[in-house]
Amino acid sequence: MSDDVLSIIPTDPQWQPDRATAQRTAALAADLAPGLPDGVEVEIDVTWHDALTSVDCGDNLERIGCPHCGASIDTEWYADLLESHGEDGFATLAVEVPCCGAATSLDVLDYDWPCGFARFEIAIWNPGRDWFGDEELAAIGDTLGHPVKQIRAHI
């Protein structure tokens, strides 16, 4: 069986909230996610990572574009990079892209579907919806105390 995961991460990959704020924000996210039609409530994981961690879109990833030359970046290059940092996370997001050799950051590549990197994540498993709307996402960010973005993974 496959799962869908809707993750909320801060727009600043290094930013982390305190535990009480994170729990309030997770409760709001749970209220906004109806769960599956069979009445099963959503499962929410709230995670603080010691190092920068990839929050990717799983099987939804269709393309990665270079912000410097506009070329497509091989998704296998990205997958290999994630695999090599899977255990310990990333010390830095600085990278040299294979297409044009430009120095850039992993969090500014053009991912089609959104991907991100974070030291804090709220993951909503099988949320029963595709995305949060702009107003909902703003409310989540206000509750968290920091702007957020969302990543939808199919695994």
Side-chain angles (χ1 to χ4, degrees), residues 5-9 25-35 42 44 122-125 127-141 148-152:
V5 183
L6 184 57
S7 292
I8 303 298
I9 60 173
T25 307
L28 173 59
D31 288 345
L32 295 172
V42 297
I44 297 186
I122 298 173
I124 307 156
W125 290 79
R129 63 178 304 160
D130 290 336
W131 301 97
F132 290 116
D134 291 341
E135 289 181 11
E136 294 169 315
L137 203 57
I140 291 169
V148 295
K149 64 182 185 175
Q150 58 190 330
I151 313 295
R152 183 170 177 79

Side-chain angles (χ1 to χ4, degrees), residues 51-126:
L52 290 164
T53 301
S54 168
V55 181
D56 74 12
C57 63
D59 292 341
N60 289 332
L61 184 61
E62 295 178 5
R63 179 185 180 278
I64 303 171
C66 176
H68 295 280
C69 71
S72 288
I73 297 172
D74 185 6
T75 56
E76 288 300 316
W77 171 83
Y78 178 69
D80 291 346
L81 193 63
L82 295 185
E83 186 176 323
S84 68
H85 290 86
E87 292 290 317
D88 300 322
F90 293 82
T92 177
L93 297 179
V95 68
E96 187 176 290
V97 288
C99 50
C100 63
T104 191
S105 179
L106 287 170
D107 61 333
V108 300
L109 298 180
D110 181 22
Y111 298 97
D112 182 12
W113 288 41
C115 293
F117 297 84
R119 292 190 57 225
F120 174 76
E121 174 184 7
I122 298 173
I124 307 156
W125 290 79
N126 299 309

